[in-house]
Amino acid sequence: MIAPITAADSERDQRRAAAALGAAGLRAGDRLVLSAVASPELVAVVLGALRTGIVPVVLDPGLPAAERAALVEDADPGLDVGGEPGRLLGDREADLADVPLARPMHYTSGTTGRRKGVWSGVLAEDDARALAAEEIDLWGFGPHDRHLVLSPLHHSAPLRFAMHTLLAGGEVLLPGPFDVGRAAGVISTQRPTTTFCVPTHLQRLLAHGDVDWSSFRRLVHAGAPCPEPLKRAVLAALPDGSVWEFYGSTEAQFTVCSPDDWLAHPGSVGRARPGRRLETDEGRQLWCAVPRWARFEYWRAPEKTAAAWRGDRVTVGDLGRVDDDGTVWLDGRREDLVISGGVNVYPAEVEAVLDAHPDVVESAVFGLPDEEWGQRVVAAYVGTADPAELARWARERLSPAKRPKRLHRLRELPRTSTGKVRRLDLPDVLGAAGG
């Protein structure tokens, strides 16, 4: 049995973390870097920081050292506790605000391959209360809830769900890195009421079988398109009304999709969240008007911030359409984006690593359909590098989701008349359209 994190125990540890951060000289608006595996201490330190206006920068603990170092330098933190958040939990306690006064800063890859920090700064008190109330009210979190964490907490959605469950007085279960057998056992024996997951989790759990889903009142999925057969199987397996979906990003949240809305419009991603409005421009790019407390900027990247905003409307570059009744459909992610197991993978970032190999002339990365992961990352390259050696090179420099699952050596890459690589032609060129 996994001991749940209770709201009371976490509150105590949050106060201890706040005291330690204050003693270390951190103040509202300063950044705190953490790169730890999921633990009660990590959650407590993140919340303790936020409830004093200190902004946690939550990094993937599996990042290669060079990539982590570059992000830490960019974040310019007042303190970096690495993988040891527990060292901030001393005996002294400090006062906390009722709600988080900021949002964590997560890094999300840009289409150029350079990661961008999503920065909201310190919020005014009214905006901070509105931000917390929006999330708690939308999912109905309360003292009766026991939330199951299935995804890594360095991603924004799983961290957001866990934090707001505790803020609402509920409990959180942290079973560790996803293992289908362990997850099935926790669901069946410890009776969680809510969880956030990606379609890959659902596919594995349904294939595993022997899962008692009856305790759930909200199972919320996002992060990647959910195939219609899988969605229908999940709806059939879980209690009526419990399977919800949303469309959003690290930067902002856009829609929510109830079971009834999805059944009425299969394949849609629902309607705008409360206080938001979605529309498309002439290029079918989706724009969302958001409330004041949901605004953000890209950390130290004013040109990228300016490109993302038009007044109170923001875009993350996705394409889609909005029906007259407000139903939102995604016609496609950004052209070069690969979504593998709910993780966004930008080809330019992977290509930069492959191209740095001394025996690679150039590379092109794309996604192929994968029944388990949604998509898998595949690369073609020109050069004399041995595929096995290039795979080792990539393993040492890329996190698991970004590593190409297949590497194909070609004499040349297909190009347009203007010299751009035709990524969409690569599956046919490789004879890999089906595998």
Side-chain angles (χ1 to χ4, degrees):
M1 296 287 283
I2 298 166
I5 307 172
T6 67
D9 285 346
S10 184
E11 175 95 6
R12 178 202 63 217
D13 287 344
Q14 291 168 42
R15 292 181 182 278
R16 291 174 173 174
L21 292 170
L26 272 70
R27 299 293 180 263
D30 289 341
R31 270 87 48 217
L32 164 70
V33 167
L34 305 108
S35 51
V37 297
S39 69
E41 293 80 12
L42 174 63
V43 177
V45 170
V46 168
L47 273 169
L50 290 172
R51 293 174 71 178
T52 53
I54 296 166
V55 180
V57 182
V58 188
L59 301 180
D60 179 356
L63 286 175
E67 186 174 359
R68 184 189 189 280
L71 295 181
V72 173
E73 181 180 7
D74 184 69
D76 188 20
L79 182 65
D80 178 1
V81 298
E84 301 179 276
R87 67 185 176 92
L88 293 175
L89 304 183
D91 295 328
R92 294 180 57 241
E93 298 185 12
D95 291 336
L96 301 170
D98 292 341
V99 296
L101 302 177
R103 291 167 58 189
M105 186 165 89
H106 295 273
Y107 276 90
T108 178
S109 297
T111 54
T112 63
R114 181 183 181 275
R115 288 173 172 265
K116 299 173 291 187
V118 180
W119 173 257
S120 298
V122 181
L123 301 172
E125 184 177 341
D126 287 349
D127 287 346
R129 291 185 182 281
L131 179 65
E134 178 189 353
E135 195 72 15
I136 291 170
D137 293 347
L138 180 64
W139 305 118
F141 294 134
H144 55 282
D145 275 318
R146 174 173 281 185
H147 181 74
L148 172 63
V149 175
L150 292 177
S151 299
L153 290 179
H154 60 267
H155 292 308
S156 59
L159 183 58
R160 190 170 68 248
F161 274 65
M163 289 193 310
H164 286 88
T165 299
L166 292 171
L167 289 168
E171 297 180 342
V172 171
L173 293 168
L174 295 178
F178 183 79
D179 172 87
V180 66
R182 181 168 59 226
V186 171
I187 291 170
S188 298
T189 62
Q190 297 197 244
R191 314 293 293 160
T193 60
T194 64
T195 194
F196 166 81
C197 58
V198 298
T200 300
H201 294 141
L202 298 173
Q203 187 271 335
R204 288 184 173 186
L205 284 164
L206 286 182
H208 180 273
D210 193 28
V211 180
D212 181 356
W213 301 95
S214 62
S215 61
F216 280 109
R217 65 167 191 84
R218 283 287 183 279
L219 180 147
V220 185
H221 68 88
C226 187
E228 185 172 331
L230 175 59
K231 177 83 172 204
R232 292 191 182 279
V234 175
L235 287 167
L238 270 81
D240 288 346
S242 64
V243 180
W244 289 60
E245 182 175 354
F246 69 82
Y247 159 55
S249 67
T250 301
E251 295 94 326
Q253 302 305 304
F254 304 123
T255 74
V256 61
C257 188
S258 70
D260 288 344
D261 275 348
W262 191 89
L263 288 168
H265 308 282
S268 74
V269 290
R271 306 167 193 266
R273 282 169 65 127
R276 287 159 173 76
R277 184 185 72 257
L278 279 130
E279 57 191 39
T280 55
D281 61 17
E282 61 281 359
R284 302 191 74 173
Q285 187 167 249
L286 286 162
W287 292 81
C288 184
V290 301
R292 188 175 59 246
W293 57 84
R295 292 188 67 88
F296 69 90
E297 61 188 65
Y298 289 116
W299 176 250
R300 295 180 172 176
E303 72 290 348
K304 291 182 171 62
T305 301
W309 289 94
R310 294 180 181 174
D312 67 346
R313 297 181 303 154
V314 67
T315 186
V316 293
D318 290 333
L319 306 178
R321 63 189 190 277
V322 184
D323 289 350
D324 292 340
D325 67 355
T327 300
V328 178
W329 305 79
L330 292 179
D331 289 341
R333 298 282 179 171
R334 282 159 285 193
E335 185 178 6
D336 62 348
L337 182 64
V338 180
I339 304 177
S340 183
V343 176
N344 289 354
V345 180
Y346 289 90
E349 185 178 7
V350 181
E351 289 162 3
V353 169
L354 299 179
D355 292 350
H357 191 283
D359 295 325
V360 171
V361 176
E362 61 178 342
S363 63
V365 170
F366 56 100
L368 287 178
D370 188 285
E371 289 185 359
E372 182 175 10
W373 296 100
Q375 288 181 296
R376 63 182 179 276
V377 179
V378 180
Y381 69 97
V382 176
T384 59
D386 176 78
E389 158 61 19
L390 190 55
R392 182 193 63 78
W393 174 276
R395 279 197 305 273
E396 292 176 354
R397 292 163 175 83
L398 293 166
S399 55
K402 299 176 184 178
R403 298 169 190 161
K405 305 305 182 285
R406 296 285 299 276
L407 288 155
H408 300 268
R409 186 165 54 200
L410 298 177
R411 295 183 62 181
E412 60 182 10
L413 299 177
R415 298 183 181 277
T416 66
S417 58
T418 57
K420 294 182 179 179
V421 173
R422 300 197 307 266
R423 280 196 180 88
L424 296 179
D425 291 355
L426 280 167
D428 290 333
V429 169
L430 298 172

